[in-house]
């Protein structure tokens, strides 16, 4: 007869718990690392002891990692690449032809309810393939007033699915919107 003591059982559960936490951190870090430069801009903070990447990691760990160990995963729709008070466009329409992705947007500029939008807010579009760990961000400055933003994908992503995220920042890049997940295209 095999007898397992409480100490052995407790130790086994502790190891499993640590492995689950380690896997969560690894998944979150691997997902966010290719978009680190964007996160550094979109999660900029002046809070003492808080780094932009640390804040993004915290968000992903709390809201975007799902499943149970060892089958945990990152849900791209729940990830946030920027955080802030600005309003995202109210409507978006995505078109993709090969390497070209275009997003038509509609905003409530001069919102009578006092929304936080301005005609010269900059639109940022990020296309990301987590499996390949490749991301693209629009190089050309596009304003909210322009009504659209386009991105030529990196060559590696030409025939691969990408997750699209849209965000807005003010002209001084001090205020941002929460990134908006547009879907997989």
């Amino acid at each position: 007869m095999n007898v397992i003591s409480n100490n052995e059982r407790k130790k086994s559960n502790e190891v499993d718990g640590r492995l689950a936490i380690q896997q969560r951190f690894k998944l979150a870090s691997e997902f966010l690392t290719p978009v680190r430069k964007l996160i550094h801009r979109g999660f900029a903070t002046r809070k003492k002891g808080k780094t932009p990447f640390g804040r993004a990691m915290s968000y992903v760990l709390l809201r975007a990692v799902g499943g149970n160990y060892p089958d945990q995963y990152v849900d791209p729709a729940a990830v946030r690449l920027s955080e802030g008070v600005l309003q995202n466009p109210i409507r978006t329409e995505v078109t993709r032809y090969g390497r070209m992705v275009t997003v038509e947007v509609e905003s409530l500029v001069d919102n009578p309810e006092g929304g936080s939008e301005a005609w010269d807010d900059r639109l940022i579009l990020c296309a990301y393939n987590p499996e390949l760990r490749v991301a693209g961000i629009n190089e050309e400055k596009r304003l909210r007033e322009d009504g659209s933003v386009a991105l030529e994908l990196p060559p590696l992503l030409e025939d691969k699915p990408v997750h699209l995220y849209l965000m807005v920042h003010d002209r001084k890049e001090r205020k941002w919107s929460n990134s908006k997940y547009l879907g997989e295209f």
Side-chain angles (χ1 to χ4, degrees):
M1 183 165 146
N2 223 352
V3 177
I4 298 175
S5 72
N6 281 342
N7 285 343
E8 287 178 48
R9 195 173 309 137
K10 185 178 178 185
K11 191 173 186 176
S12 174
N13 288 340
E14 283 178 10
V15 170
D16 290 345
R18 282 193 303 245
L19 291 175
I21 291 169
Q22 288 171 352
Q23 185 185 44
R24 290 173 69 84
F25 269 85
K26 182 176 188 259
L27 288 169
S29 179
E30 285 178 350
F31 189 94
L32 293 175
T33 296
V35 288
R36 189 179 201 113
K37 287 181 181 178
L38 179 59
I39 287 168
H40 185 71
R41 294 167 55 203
F43 269 89
T45 182
R46 290 180 174 69
K47 293 180 182 175
K48 189 173 184 176
K50 305 274 186 184
T51 67
F53 194 77
R55 289 177 61 217
M57 276 284 292
S58 177
Y59 189 90
V60 168
L61 288 168
L62 290 172
R63 295 176 181 90
V65 177
N68 295 314
Y69 181 80
D71 301 316
Q72 296 180 94
Y73 59 90
V74 174
D75 176 7
V79 170
R80 190 175 278 178
L81 301 182
S82 68
E83 186 173 72
V85 298
L86 293 184
Q87 297 294 315
N88 278 310
I90 56 169
R91 278 194 242 347
T92 57
E93 187 177 318
V94 178
T95 309
R96 178 175 178 181
Y97 295 108
R99 286 181 53 199
M100 248 355 252
V101 177
T102 304
V103 179
E104 302 290 329
V105 301
E106 184 180 329
S107 294
L108 292 173
V109 177
D110 300 325
N111 184 354
E113 296 174 16
S116 54
E117 299 180 3
W119 67 272
D120 65 343
D121 288 342
R122 307 302 200 282
L123 299 170
I124 303 291
L125 179 61
C126 176
Y128 181 36
N129 183 302
E131 290 79 31
L132 295 175
R133 299 175 53 100
V134 175
I137 300 167
N138 62 301
E139 298 292 327
E140 182 183 344
K141 288 191 178 183
R142 300 298 294 179
L143 303 178
R144 188 186 292 266
E145 179 183 65
D146 296 334
S148 71
V149 59
L151 166 66
E152 185 174 2
L153 298 173
L156 272 173
L157 300 179
E158 181 172 6
D159 58 350
K160 303 286 190 267
V162 291
H163 296 278
L164 295 179
Y165 299 88
L166 179 69
M167 55 222 87
V168 177
H169 67 77
D170 67 355
R171 72 179 76 106
K172 293 182 180 176
E173 211 170 308
R174 290 191 182 140
K175 294 180 184 175
W176 284 74
S177 67
N178 294 335
S179 62
K180 179 177 184 175
Y181 181 72
L182 301 179
E184 185 176 9
F185 295 87

